[in-house]
Amino acid sequence: MAQLSFDEYGRPFIVLRDQDKQERLTGIEALKSHIMAAKTVANTLKTSLGPKGMDKILVSPDNDVTITNDGATILEKMHVEHEIAKLLVDLSKSQDDEIGDGTTGVVVLAGALLEHAESLLDKGIHPIRIADGYEQASQIAVAHLDKISDSFEVNPNNKEPLIETAMTTLGSKIASRCHRQLAEIAVDAILSVADFERRDVDFELIKMQTKEGGELDDTVLVKGVIVDKDMSHPQMPKQIKDCKLAILTCPFEPPKPKTKHKLDVTSVEDYQKLREYEKETFVKMIKQVKDTGANLAICQWGFDDEANHLLLQNELPAVRWVGGPEIELIAIATGGRIVPRFNELTSDKLGNAGVVRELTFGTTKDRMLVIEDCKNTRAVTIFIRGGNKMILDEGKRSIHDALCVIRNLVRDNRIVYGGGAAEIACSLAVSAEADKVASLEQYAMHAFADALENVPNALAENSGLSPIETTSKVKAMQVAQNNPRLGVDCVHAGTNDMKEQHVIETLHGKRQQITLATQLVRMILKIDDIRKTHGDGRQ
């Protein structure tokens, strides 16, 4: 509905009346709407938590199927419309970008905090007091994590602690069948590129290449670069040792006249002259490359069959149509320079590699190029194999999580123990401190402690155990033995000591989980007005 009105100067303007199509929620009703949306998302992810967690199958509008239990991937591919639910998606993405792991746990914790906040709201406690109590409890929990953390030396000669941490990350993934092998690959990749003086890892030097076929067990770490290309001519050599690479971004073709005039070839003689000119230009280009001492040309652009034939005749192997990112990685790995013009190519701009070889896969026509023993040994490629695209994608996500966790340990080598052990220890610490608080925030702090127990509860439930009974038992054991390493025995190993089970998480990741979840919940509790628009009304 619209109505035409006039202002004081007689200018017309239209008043749109869509109030009848709007619904406005304020105060407690708005907060409960937020909490309901967040709880729904958290409960969806809760069943994916832990080594026995269930996978989710996600079908896109284009009917692409994804099977995963990675929290960030599930939320990213879910069609979420509620604004607060979208905040949880951003929360999971923040955890994934910063830490790489714990994306499910952070959403489950945020959902639990909001769920317990709802019962406090029903008691009449103001949302700001709840948010303040949560903030205090969060600081106590993070400080307690520092107290119960262990540290180990990140030593390239002693990889076992790093491998155990990576195995904890991979234990809940589809790739868990060969998680020892993948953990070793992830650790070797990080140690190859890590700068221990600056305590940093350059992820740009680690490339993941996938190829359908084979099994996940066939995944290997290549100390070099793999390019999904082959030699431009089938008769070119399949292996080149002591390779000097010319990395070119200029096309192997005669220069085109930069005018709008066209060239008419009216006789056979003119055509022969043009053909001779093209051939001479190709031969000159090939000679320019060979004179620098190069024995392999990597070209970003293509070249035609005549140029390809001349390259073969002049014994200069070449690779064409190599993409920009691959070109850059080859240049970094081999220490070469990317050359945009043939006349700029000199011997000092060539890249060096010990061996360049073609990789074949059984009876298929697929071939890939492996560049090994490079000048810059820090560039590595993880070559992932799998039965189909779905397995490859999940394998890639799993290895990325493991790489992120090992990177975090290089930056900060402190760890806490998984299986809900850290959450239970923090819950006990927050409860003890809450009893010393005389103000209303005490209720919120106790609620925070209870919310932390939702993580071991979910782990127990997903492992087929009685959640309340299992968590209560572990909690009592932690108090009796004063041992913060005791957690939920998800894999039925017969011991609750997570140190014995080698279930390890990074301190930085766990702190980030608690901090991010608290900050998000604090933000949600401060929003008490929401307006929804129905029909064709505008928000």
Side-chain angles (χ1 to χ4, degrees):
M1 285 177 69
Q3 178 183 328
L4 190 65
S5 298
F6 297 90
D7 63 11
E8 64 267 33
Y9 300 107
R11 292 178 300 201
F13 64 90
I14 295 171
V15 178
L16 289 169
R17 284 193 264 170
D18 58 358
Q19 292 299 318
D20 57 327
K21 295 171 187 164
Q22 288 190 342
E23 175 194 346
R24 185 168 184 167
L25 295 176
T26 56
I28 296 296
E29 291 305 315
L31 283 166
K32 290 204 170 177
S33 168
H34 305 335
I35 291 167
M36 178 58 71
K39 274 165 58 179
T40 306
V41 173
N43 289 336
T44 306
L45 283 194
K46 192 185 279 188
T47 52
S48 296
L49 192 66
K52 301 283 184 181
M54 310 292 271
D55 296 329
K56 301 280 181 281
I57 182 165
L58 302 150
V59 184
S60 74
D62 300 329
N63 284 331
D64 289 335
V65 174
T66 305
I67 297 179
T68 182
N69 69 353
D70 180 58
T73 308
I74 294 168
L75 288 175
E76 186 186 328
K77 294 187 181 292
M78 272 170 64
H79 186 61
V80 177
E81 288 192 351
H82 197 286
E83 287 68 25
I84 300 302
K86 284 177 183 172
L87 285 177
L88 283 181
V89 176
D90 291 340
L91 170 72
S92 184
K93 191 172 185 308
S94 302
Q95 179 77 9
D96 195 37
D97 292 344
E98 178 72 21
I99 306 298
D101 192 31
T103 50
T104 309
V106 72
V107 175
V108 170
L109 180 57
L113 288 169
L114 285 167
E115 194 175 330
H116 284 80
E118 188 174 21
S119 61
L120 295 178
L121 289 169
D122 289 338
K123 289 178 182 174
I125 300 176
H126 195 276
I128 297 297
R129 303 297 293 271
I130 300 171
D132 290 345
Y134 276 180
E135 188 64 38
Q136 286 182 39
S138 167
Q139 289 169 7
I140 293 163
V142 168
H144 190 67
L145 282 174
D146 289 342
K147 288 179 194 169
I148 63 170
S149 65
D150 283 352
S151 63
F152 58 77
E153 186 184 357
V154 178
N155 186 351
N157 301 320
N158 180 22
K159 300 176 185 173
E160 196 57 34
L162 295 171
I163 291 169
E164 286 169 1
T165 313
M167 283 168 67
T168 305
T169 306
L170 294 166
S172 60
K173 313 284 186 202
I174 289 176
S176 61
R177 186 173 58 83
C178 47
H179 66 318
R180 172 86 201 185
Q181 179 195 349
L182 296 182
E184 288 174 359
I185 287 171
V187 170
D188 287 341
I190 290 290
L191 292 179
S192 298
V193 305
D195 185 340
F196 287 103
E197 287 182 14
R198 286 173 46 229
R199 296 181 75 87
D200 196 20
V201 176
D202 185 2
F203 264 16
E204 294 294 318
L205 294 171
I206 302 175
K207 187 188 175 199
M208 280 192 267
Q209 184 75 45
T210 59
K211 193 75 176 174
E212 283 184 36
E215 301 176 346
L216 265 174
D217 294 355
D218 300 329
T219 300
V220 291
L221 178 70
V222 176
K223 297 287 179 75
V225 183
I226 295 180
V227 186
D228 196 1
K229 298 290 172 190
D230 56 355
M231 295 294 182
S232 61
H233 198 289
Q235 291 176 20
M236 285 177 179
K238 306 300 178 200
Q239 184 167 332
I240 304 165
K241 291 187 177 176
D242 296 326
C243 189
K244 295 192 181 300
L245 298 90
I247 304 166
L248 307 167
T249 56
C250 42
F252 254 104
E253 60 182 31
K256 292 183 174 65
K258 291 183 171 56
T259 63
K260 292 184 180 177
H261 303 294
K262 63 177 182 172
L263 180 68
D264 288 328
V265 179
T266 54
S267 65
V268 176
E269 290 78 17
D270 287 348
Y271 177 75
Q272 292 290 355
K273 280 180 187 174
L274 186 63
R275 192 168 171 277
E276 281 299 316
Y277 166 72
E278 280 195 0
K279 187 176 177 181
E280 282 171 21
T281 309
F282 282 139
V283 171
K284 184 183 172 186
M285 287 174 174
I286 292 166
K287 187 174 182 299
Q288 276 180 315
V289 175
K290 290 202 75 171
D291 285 350
T292 60
N295 55 3
L296 177 64
I298 304 278
C299 193
Q300 187 175 8
W301 304 105
F303 36 82
D304 60 19
D305 290 342
E306 187 179 359
N308 204 8
H309 179 68
L310 288 168
L311 284 163
L312 178 68
Q313 274 190 332
N314 288 274
E315 296 180 351
L316 179 62
V319 184
R320 56 184 166 185
W321 297 120
V322 180
E326 283 88 357
I327 284 266
E328 287 179 16
L329 203 64
I330 292 168
I332 292 168
T334 60
R337 298 278 296 276
I338 297 171
V339 180
R341 296 180 190 84
F342 280 99
N343 55 8
E344 290 182 13
L345 186 63
T346 54
S347 56
D348 59 322
K349 291 181 181 177
L350 299 179
N352 293 288
V355 61
V356 176
R357 59 188 174 88
E358 256 188 17
L359 199 62
T360 56
F361 304 97
T363 55
T364 64
K365 291 182 180 178
D366 290 335
R367 290 182 180 85
M368 296 178 92
L369 212 62
V370 182
I371 303 169
E372 290 178 303
D373 300 334
C374 300
K375 186 177 179 181
N376 181 3
T377 54
R378 292 175 64 216
V380 296
T381 303
I382 300 172
F383 186 41
I384 306 166
R385 303 300 308 281
N388 56 33
K389 186 175 181 296
M390 188 184 67
I391 295 289
L392 285 175
D393 289 346
E394 184 63 4
K396 198 171 178 179
R397 280 191 290 268
S398 303
I399 291 172
H400 176 263
D401 285 1
L403 289 171
C404 289
V405 167
I406 305 303
R407 175 198 63 185
N408 294 335
L409 281 173
V410 171
R411 289 176 172 175
D412 183 351
N413 63 343
R414 290 177 295 171
I415 50 119
V416 291
Y417 295 93
E423 280 86 357
I424 292 172
C426 288
S427 172
L428 289 166
V430 171
S431 285
E433 288 296 320
D435 290 335
K436 300 173 188 174
V437 175
S439 63
L440 204 59
E441 279 78 11
Q442 183 191 110
Y443 287 91
M445 292 171 77
H446 278 299
F448 190 97
D450 292 341
L452 283 169
E453 290 178 20
N454 274 38
V455 174
N457 279 346
L459 286 172
E461 193 173 345
N462 294 343
S463 306
L465 303 167
S466 169
I468 296 171
E469 185 184 342
T470 306
T471 305
S472 304
K473 182 182 167 189
V474 174
K475 198 172 170 185
M477 286 165 65
Q478 274 208 21
V479 173
Q481 299 176 26
N482 192 24
N483 184 356
R485 299 192 301 269
L486 299 176
V488 178
D489 180 14
C490 297
V491 293
H492 311 296
T495 175
N496 289 98
D497 195 325
M498 295 296 119
K499 191 172 185 178
E500 288 179 30
Q501 284 199 31
H502 306 303
V503 180
I504 303 167
E505 297 181 46
T506 61
L507 171 68
H508 184 44
K510 189 58 72 181
R511 285 174 63 175
Q512 192 77 2
Q513 260 189 0
I514 292 173
T515 307
L516 281 176
T518 310
Q519 285 175 352
L520 181 84
V521 169
R522 187 181 173 87
M523 190 183 354
I524 292 171
L525 288 172
K526 288 187 172 183
I527 303 170
D528 74 336
D529 190 343
I530 187 167
R531 179 177 289 186
K532 294 179 180 177
T533 309
H534 303 287
D536 59 351
R538 295 180 301 171
Q539 194 165 347

